[in-house]
Amino acid sequence: MNNKFSFLMYSVALFALSILSSPSAAEEKPSDEPFHYSVNLPQSYNDSNRSYPVIFLVDSGPFYKGDYFNEAVEAVRRLEEFHEFPQTIIVEVEVKQLWRYVTRDRNMLSEWLSSELAPLIAKQYRTLKRNSIVGFSYTAGGLMNSLALRESPFTTIISLSPVFDSISDIPEELANGNMLPQHYVVFGNESHRLMQFYKPLLDSQSNADLSIISLPQENHQSALIPGLRAALLQAHSDYQLPSYKQFTQRDYKVQDLMEILKQRTIDYGAAPESSLLSELTLAAAKTYTQLGKFELAEQHWRFTESEHKSYFMTQIIAEFERNNQTDWAARTKTLSQKLGL
């Protein structure tokens, strides 16, 4: 009997410990409250002392045909894994009687999000002052109408396929320009909604920072995930490294790339992998050689520690020769010899 009791208590203790130590352990309001939340932490949270941006996903489930929270969280985590995107803390906000709180009582939800939940998350977790809040369909319309018209801790509002409960609900109020610094509105093939709700604001003299993201290949439902990805990438564009297109538009020196990585570390507290600068300078070296900017390319070739420099140089020479760019092919061969490749 005592052994069974001891085993039971031990099992309960292990279960409780597993919940408390889990990186995605939930922190929830009491069940009788209209608003509930759970916190999903990034994998590195317990192994570092850094702070993280926060993404608040506000309940939109009744308006979405898929699994709103799981699909949105997975999309964010895949961005972190496969794209130049920072690791984030994700807060899932569930709302009882959602229709009520995104229409007639939306200010009550906005007040709770701004005055209670966001400060609580900032107090309990290591967070940066970069809070994005996301809603879809009627939730997006309600949040846009309410949060965009008040001071709040949210630095970015992302409205995915927003719908409003009244056609006269938005433009007149928003024309005062009292909006947050960043507001991304995503539409699929719903130009009629864009014209109904946002054209008055876009045509006004408002100083509001409103970015319209158009995904004409998507419909109201299918725009959720690609729209979320697009808006988050724009909201955190300062985390991303120069792309091929940017290399073609600007002459980056090695020092410029070092400063970009340094500033990203300051802004996000995430030190880059030791190989990242080498990979970045390799990309610059290849691009500037292909553009015939040989002096600029040389400094990047010299800096990168890639083991494949000779291979890429050979490929570029072959490409020049196929295109009958004999002068550039000869200059690239000279540069390759100069570098000892």
Side-chain angles (χ1 to χ4, degrees):
M1 182 68 177
N2 289 338
N3 288 340
K4 290 182 178 180
F5 181 77
S6 298
F7 178 78
L8 177 60
M9 293 301 293
Y10 179 72
S11 300
V12 171
L14 280 181
F15 177 74
L17 182 60
S18 68
I19 293 177
L20 290 174
S21 61
S22 171
S24 59
E27 301 284 348
E28 296 192 350
K29 299 277 286 183
S31 59
D32 59 343
E33 295 287 342
F35 313 134
H36 309 262
Y37 69 92
S38 60
V39 180
N40 188 305
L41 299 177
Q43 287 187 344
S44 65
Y45 187 87
N46 292 329
D47 299 323
S48 73
N49 293 318
R50 54 183 282 207
S51 298
Y52 298 82
V54 184
I55 299 173
F56 292 82
L57 296 175
V58 183
D59 202 344
S60 304
F63 314 128
Y64 183 56
K65 294 180 179 179
D67 189 334
Y68 173 73
F69 284 121
N70 284 340
E71 290 182 35
V73 170
E74 181 183 4
V76 174
R77 296 303 182 217
R78 289 180 67 84
L79 274 181
E80 296 170 1
E81 185 174 0
F82 298 114
H83 211 290
E84 288 293 331
F85 190 79
Q87 292 191 16
T88 59
I89 295 172
I90 302 175
V91 181
E92 301 174 25
V93 181
E94 295 185 42
V95 182
K96 292 183 178 181
Q97 301 180 58
L98 181 61
W99 176 255
R100 167 188 169 185
Y101 288 109
V102 297
T103 55
R104 68 178 187 273
D105 288 334
R106 57 178 169 250
N107 288 336
M108 188 181 300
L109 173 59
S110 296
E111 181 65 26
W112 178 77
L113 289 166
S114 300
S115 302
E116 295 188 38
L117 182 58
L120 180 63
I121 297 300
K123 181 179 180 180
Q124 292 184 341
Y125 299 93
R126 301 189 306 273
T127 65
L128 297 173
K129 292 182 178 179
R130 300 190 64 147
N131 296 328
S132 299
I133 188 162
V134 180
F136 169 76
S137 191
Y138 284 98
T139 300
L143 288 176
M144 196 269 194
N145 180 287
S146 184
L147 281 174
L149 296 169
R150 66 170 65 220
E151 291 186 10
S152 79
F154 302 109
T155 54
T156 303
I157 291 180
I158 297 176
S159 299
L160 303 172
S161 295
V163 181
F164 305 97
D165 58 320
S166 170
I167 194 172
S168 61
D169 205 17
I170 288 299
E172 184 177 351
E173 294 185 50
L174 286 185
N176 64 14
N178 185 24
M179 293 184 69
L180 291 173
Q182 290 182 311
H183 193 127
Y184 297 99
V185 182
V186 179
F187 282 103
N189 54 358
E190 305 169 288
S191 59
H192 62 289
R193 287 203 178 100
L194 174 62
M195 298 302 291
Q196 286 174 341
F197 298 120
Y198 290 93
K199 192 174 187 304
L201 175 61
L202 294 172
D203 290 345
S204 73
Q205 299 300 313
S206 167
N207 59 1
D209 187 354
L210 175 65
S211 297
I212 302 293
I213 299 175
S214 178
L215 302 174
Q217 72 278 16
E218 307 292 347
N219 58 38
H220 178 70
Q221 291 286 323
S222 67
L224 190 148
I225 297 303
L228 176 62
R229 286 171 47 88
L232 286 174
L233 286 172
Q234 288 194 32
H236 293 276
S237 60
D238 57 339
Y239 188 86
Q240 297 163 45
L241 300 176
S243 62
Y244 172 81
K245 182 178 181 180
Q246 289 172 305
F247 281 135
T248 64
Q249 296 172 338
R250 175 182 167 185
D251 293 346
Y252 289 91
K253 298 179 180 179
V254 172
Q255 186 62 35
D256 295 330
L257 301 182
M258 294 174 68
E259 287 298 322
I260 289 173
L261 290 176
K262 179 181 178 181
Q263 189 60 49
R264 189 173 81 166
T265 301
I266 293 172
D267 292 341
Y268 289 90
E273 296 286 338
S274 58
S275 61
L276 186 55
L277 183 57
S278 178
E279 295 170 2
L280 195 56
T281 51
L282 175 63
K286 292 189 294 182
T287 303
Y288 292 135
T289 303
Q290 292 167 334
L291 294 175
K293 299 180 178 181
F294 298 104
E295 292 184 3
L296 181 59
E298 181 179 347
Q299 65 171 272
H300 290 283
W301 284 117
R302 291 190 179 281
F303 192 89
T304 182
E305 298 176 352
S306 172
E307 300 176 353
H308 308 293
K309 290 190 285 187
S310 179
Y311 167 79
F312 288 119
M313 191 72 84
T314 301
Q315 293 296 311
I316 293 172
I317 292 171
E319 182 180 354
F320 283 151
E321 291 176 340
R322 282 195 301 271
N323 295 329
N324 294 319
Q325 296 173 283
T326 54
D327 180 54
W328 280 14
R331 294 185 65 180
T332 305
K333 289 179 181 179
T334 299
L335 175 58
S336 180
Q337 295 169 355
K338 189 176 179 181
L339 295 170
L341 301 177

